[in-house]
């Protein structure tokens, strides 16, 4: 409960600041957060009021994912306040936006709410259908996270491999340069020795 109360205090202060700054998207986000916090405190009337205020800024909101979240949360608030038809309207709207943006996280939440709406309306088949969709998208989120983790690991491995390759290449170049220098010294040594021998022979002959 303390976390929800802290969230309310924080978002209320943020709301006051963003209103003064005229940042409609951030104002909508804080209103949405306040609605969620009041849901957590089981103050459903206040939650609905804040979600309605957040949705009222929809045309001014520039964050598509936030729009989905607000519509979905508004639908959930209506459901908890026992207005299932209105809840269905907003959740369907959120679903359409989420499908367009391929937002698996939002779709997972949306289908769970749709399952609850169908259960409330005593439509057992639909409730089960949406519950299966919720599980499916939730699994997709887990798989997506796993794929991301594997991809990140592979990228790190390739990066380190490339660094090792570069280091090995630089070492080979240094070793080759050192070998060339040694060969040059050998040549200079034998040339110098040959010159000394020639001079010695010339002196001896003279």
């Amino acid at each position: 409960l303390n976390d929800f109360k802290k969230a309310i205090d924080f978002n209320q202060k943020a709301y006051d600041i963003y209103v003064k700054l005229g940042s409609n998207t951030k104002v909508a986000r804080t209103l949405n957060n306040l609605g969620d916090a009041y849901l957590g405190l089981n103050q459903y009337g206040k939650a609905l009021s804040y979600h309605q205020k957040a949705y009222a800024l929809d045309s001014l909101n520039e964050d598509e994912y936030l729009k989905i979240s607000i519509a979905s949360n508004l639908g959930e608030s209506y459901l908890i306040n026992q207005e299932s038809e209105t809840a269905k309207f907003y959740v369907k709207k959120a679903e359409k936006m989420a499908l367009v943006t391929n937002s698996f996280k939002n779709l997972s939440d949306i289908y769970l709410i749709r399952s609850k709406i169908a259960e409330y309306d005593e439509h057992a088949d639909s409730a089960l259908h949406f519950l299966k969709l919720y599980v499916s998208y939730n699994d997709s989120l887990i798989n997506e996270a796993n794929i991301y983790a594997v991809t990140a690991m592979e990228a790190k491995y390739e990066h380190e491999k490339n660094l090792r390759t570069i280091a090995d290449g630089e070492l080979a170049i240094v070793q080759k340069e050192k070998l060339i220098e040694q060969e040059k010294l050998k040549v200079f040594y034998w040339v110098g020795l040959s010159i000394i021998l020639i001079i010695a022979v010339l002196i001896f002959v003279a």
Side-chain angles (χ1 to χ4, degrees), residues 65 68-69 72 94 98 101 103-111 141:
Y65 293 99
I68 297 168
S69 177
S72 174
T101 56
S103 177
F104 284 6
K105 174 65 175 71
N106 288 116
L107 284 168
S108 174
D109 295 338
I110 287 164
Y111 288 129
L141 280 173

Side-chain angles (χ1 to χ4, degrees), residues 113-165:
I113 298 170
R114 291 209 63 180
S115 177
K116 291 177 181 177
I117 293 171
E119 184 180 6
Y120 178 86
D121 291 336
E122 298 183 352
H123 297 154
D125 290 344
S126 293
L128 180 60
H129 168 70
F130 289 120
L131 188 60
K132 286 179 179 178
L133 284 173
Y134 160 72
V135 171
S136 174
Y137 276 96
N138 209 41
D139 287 345
S140 296
L141 280 173
I142 294 170
N143 291 335
E144 189 176 45
N146 289 338
I147 290 168
Y148 176 80
V150 171
T151 303
M153 191 178 294
E154 288 177 346
K156 183 180 178 183
Y157 170 77
E158 286 299 323
H159 177 66
E160 290 176 351
K161 183 181 175 182
N162 289 337
L163 287 177
R164 286 196 299 272
T165 301

Side-chain angles (χ1 to χ4, degrees), residues 6-170:
K6 286 178 182 177
I8 289 170
D9 183 57
F10 174 81
N11 281 285
Q12 188 61 60
K13 290 176 181 176
Y15 169 79
D16 293 337
I17 293 169
Y18 293 140
V19 166
K20 289 178 182 178
L21 293 174
S23 178
N24 292 308
T25 298
K26 291 179 180 178
V27 168
R29 181 175 287 108
T30 54
L31 289 169
N32 189 45
N33 291 341
L34 284 165
D36 289 347
Y38 279 112
L39 272 184
L41 291 174
N42 298 328
Q43 297 184 32
Y44 303 132
K46 280 190 174 181
L48 178 59
S49 175
Y50 277 107
H51 284 145
Q52 286 172 329
K53 289 175 182 177
Y55 186 81
L57 294 171
D58 187 69
S59 62
L60 303 174
N61 183 356
E62 297 174 352
D63 187 332
E64 291 301 319
Y65 293 99
L66 179 59
K67 286 184 178 183
I68 297 168
S69 177
I70 290 172
S72 174
N73 289 341
L74 180 56
E76 185 174 18
S77 283
Y78 272 114
L79 174 63
I80 292 172
N81 283 279
Q82 300 182 348
E83 297 183 46
S84 66
E85 285 304 312
T86 309
K88 197 183 301 180
F89 171 80
Y90 287 107
V91 175
K92 280 185 175 180
K93 186 168 184 179
E95 180 186 1
K96 286 180 182 178
M97 290 188 287
L99 286 169
V100 170
T101 56
N102 289 319
S103 177
F104 284 6
K105 174 65 175 71
N106 288 116
L107 284 168
S108 174
D109 295 338
I110 287 164
Y111 288 129
L112 182 59
I113 298 170
R114 291 209 63 180
S115 177
K116 291 177 181 177
I117 293 171
E119 184 180 6
Y120 178 86
D121 291 336
E122 298 183 352
H123 297 154
D125 290 344
S126 293
L128 180 60
H129 168 70
F130 289 120
L131 188 60
K132 286 179 179 178
L133 284 173
Y134 160 72
V135 171
S136 174
Y137 276 96
N138 209 41
D139 287 345
S140 296
L141 280 173
I142 294 170
N143 291 335
E144 189 176 45
N146 289 338
I147 290 168
Y148 176 80
V150 171
T151 303
M153 191 178 294
E154 288 177 346
K156 183 180 178 183
Y157 170 77
E158 286 299 323
H159 177 66
E160 290 176 351
K161 183 181 175 182
N162 289 337
L163 287 177
R164 286 196 299 272
T165 301
I166 292 168
D168 291 343
E170 289 177 346

